[in-house]
Amino acid sequence: MANVAVIGAQWGDEGKGKVVDWLASRADIVVRFQGGHNAGHTLVVGNQVYKLSLLPSGVVRGKLGVIGNGVVLDPEHLLSEIAKVTAQGLKVTPENLRIAENVPLILPLHPAIDKAREVARGASAIGTTGRGIGPAYEDKVARRAIRLSDLAEPEVLSHKLDELLLHHNTLLKGLGAPVFEKQVLLDRLLELAPLLLPFSEPVWQLLDEAHHTGKRVLFEGAQAVMLDVDHGTYPYVTSSNTVAGNAAAGSGVGPKQIGYVLGIAKAYTTRVGSGPFPTELKDDTGRLLGERGHEFGTVTGRPRRCGWFDACMVRQAVKVGGVEGLVLTKLDVLDGMKELRICTGYEVDGQVLNRLPASIAAQEKAKPVYEVLTGWSGSTRGARSYAELPAEAVKYVRRIEELVEAPVVLLSTSPDRDDTIMLRDPFAG
C-alpha cells in the first residue's frame, strides 16, 4: 500500500482538514511538512468540532502525529492548541505527537516584525496573517533560526539570541516598533524547554523505520499550490513550498516515499487576503457562494473572496504540484444554481493563455474565459454514491476532470467526514 500526500490545489481553505481526517483513519502516521499556525483545519467528528493549526489532523483519530522540519513552530501556540483539544477530550502526549528536533521556532519577535512591516506597506500590504511565518522562514534561510534542539543547550541558545536580536532589533527600530530584550526571551525559552523537548525526535529516522516496517504515512500539506513561494501568485503567497515535492524535504524522507499525491479543490474558488483572483465574483452570486459555503478563514476569521471554479489554475496546480488524483469538496454549495461557469483560460492583452502568467501585471489584467454549464435543481448534500447525484452534477464533475487533466477520486458532499464518495482508494497507489 502506498503513502499519500495531500495538498491544496487552489489558494487554500479547500477542505483539507476533512479529507486528511477521513484518510487518517486508514494511515499509521500523519506528518505536517510545511507552514505554521497560519493555516487552519476544521474537523467535524460527531457533535465535536476541532480547529487545528499546528497539530497534525491524525491526533484526532488516535494516530501518531508528526511535525516535520519544514514547519515553523510557534511553541506558545502549540501548547495553547494542545490545551484546547485536551479540554475537548483528546490526549496529546509524546506517545502520539513527535516534533522534528531541527524544526525552527517562531518567537514573539517574528509576529511583531510581520505586523510592523504590513503597517509600513500601507495600501501595498500583502495580506499576511501576522503570525510571524515569513520572518521565521527568513531566519531559517539566513541560518540564524532558533531550533527546537537549541532549547537543550542554554549556552548555544544565548549566543544564537544575540545574533538574532542584532538583526531584528535593528529592523524593529527602523520601523518605529518596540524592540525585544534578550533576557526576557531567553528566560521564556528555558521555561518552555521541559514542556517541548519530550516531543523532540529525529523525525527522519522515525519515518525511515516506518518505511521499512511497512507503515502507511499520510503527508499533510498546509495552504495550497497557488500560494507556493515559487509557483504561486508571488508575492501574494506564503513563505514555504506547498507542492508535494516539499513533503520529502520538509519531513526528511526520499522523494519516492511521498507516494500518491492527492490535490484538494473546492467546486468553486475562494481566496483570503490580497492578490489576483481572475474568477472573483463581487456580485450577488459571489455573496451567495460565501454564505452557503460559510466562507470565513479558520485562523483569521476574515471573509473569503469567492468566484467560479478556475480549471485553468487548478490544471496548473496539478502539473507543478504533482497531483495524481483530485478531491472535489463543497459540491453541495452549488445546489439549485441554474447556471454554472468554469474558467478555461485567461485573456491578457487580447491573447488567450492556458496558464496563469508569473508577471504581477499580467495576473492583474487576466480576464477569465468561461464555459457555461447547466446547474441542477436536486440536492447533492450528504450523497455517498455517484448514483445519488443529479445527472447535471455528474456532468459538472466530469467536465472538471477533463479540463484539469486529473481524475476526481474523492467527492465531498458535506462537512461530515462520512459524506464522501470514494471513486478510487488513494492508499492503493
Side-chain angles (χ1 to χ4, degrees), residues 92-104:
V92 180
T93 71
E95 293 295 315
N96 64 350
L97 175 66
R98 308 303 290 165
I99 305 172
E101 60 185 358
N102 52 338
V103 72

Side-chain angles (χ1 to χ4, degrees), residues 55 59 82 85-86 90-97 199:
L55 290 173
V59 298
I82 290 174
V85 298
T86 299
L90 290 182
K91 188 176 182 181
V92 180
T93 71
E95 293 295 315
N96 64 350
L97 175 66
F199 294 98

Side-chain angles (χ1 to χ4, degrees), residues 331-332 334-337 375-381 388-393:
L331 185 67
D332 56 299
L334 303 180
D335 287 354
M337 299 183 75
W376 53 88
S377 57
S379 174
T380 64
R381 188 173 180 84
E388 298 176 54
L389 298 178
E392 296 301 332

Side-chain angles (χ1 to χ4, degrees), residues 161 182-192:
L161 280 174
K182 172 188 172 180
Q183 197 59 47
V184 174
L185 289 173
L186 180 59
D187 289 346
R188 181 54 182 157
L189 287 172
L190 292 176
E191 288 176 3
L192 291 170

Side-chain angles (χ1 to χ4, degrees), residues 200-422:
S200 181
E201 174 99 7
V203 159
W204 66 268
Q205 194 170 52
L206 181 154
L207 294 176
D208 182 62
E209 292 171 0
H211 171 64
H212 288 294
T213 54
K215 291 184 177 177
R216 295 180 188 170
V217 180
L218 181 60
F219 296 95
E220 176 183 3
Q223 290 90 34
V225 173
M226 299 314 292
L227 290 174
D228 185 279
V229 70
D230 287 306
H231 302 288
T233 48
Y234 190 92
Y236 301 99
V237 293
T238 193
S239 299
S240 61
N241 288 112
T242 60
V243 293
N246 196 33
S251 55
V253 301
K256 290 184 178 179
Q257 291 184 38
I258 295 172
Y260 189 83
V261 180
L262 202 56
I264 319 296
K266 281 178 183 167
Y268 51 101
T269 310
T270 63
R271 179 166 198 167
V272 170
S274 306
F277 187 168
T279 66
E280 182 174 11
L281 297 170
K282 298 181 180 180
D283 56 10
D284 290 342
T285 301
R287 285 187 287 275
L288 178 65
L289 291 172
E291 290 168 6
R292 284 188 176 182
H294 306 290
E295 297 297 352
F296 296 92
T298 302
V299 170
T300 64
R302 290 182 290 184
R304 298 176 185 135
R305 300 154 64 191
C306 299
W308 294 119
F309 185 84
D310 190 338
C312 189
M313 181 184 76
V314 174
R315 183 173 61 246
Q316 189 166 327
V318 164
K319 304 298 185 184
V320 301
V323 172
E324 298 171 88
L326 203 66
V327 179
L328 201 63
T329 66
K330 293 197 170 184
L331 185 67
D332 56 299
V333 172
L334 303 180
D335 287 354
M337 299 183 75
K338 293 183 179 179
E339 182 181 279
L340 302 172
R341 296 190 173 201
I342 297 177
C343 173
T344 59
Y346 312 107
E347 183 182 333
V348 180
D349 293 330
Q351 181 182 5
V352 176
L353 303 178
N354 65 353
R355 60 180 175 81
L356 190 62
S359 159
I360 300 173
Q363 288 176 0
E364 292 292 349
K365 290 186 212 175
K367 296 179 181 178
V369 176
Y370 284 123
E371 181 175 308
V372 181
L373 287 83
T374 303
W376 53 88
S377 57
S379 174
T380 64
R381 188 173 180 84
R384 298 186 182 183
S385 72
Y386 243 33
E388 298 176 54
L389 298 178
E392 296 301 332
V394 174
K395 289 180 183 178
Y396 182 75
V397 174
R398 293 301 189 201
R399 186 57 181 145
I400 285 176
E401 289 181 317
E402 293 171 354
L403 291 170
V404 305
E405 299 178 22
V408 171
V409 298
L410 293 171
L411 196 61
S412 171
T413 56
S414 92
D416 190 290
R417 73 186 292 266
D418 293 322
D419 289 341
T420 304
I421 301 171
M422 183 171 72

Side-chain angles (χ1 to χ4, degrees), residues 74 106-116 130-133 135:
D74 185 320
I106 296 177
L107 306 184
L109 53 81
H110 291 124
I113 289 170
D114 217 350
K115 293 169 186 174
R131 300 291 178 107
I133 310 298

Side-chain angles (χ1 to χ4, degrees), residues 111-135:
I113 289 170
D114 217 350
K115 293 169 186 174
R117 289 197 299 209
E118 282 288 83
V119 170
R121 290 186 183 108
S124 299
I126 61 175
T128 172
T129 58
R131 300 291 178 107
I133 310 298

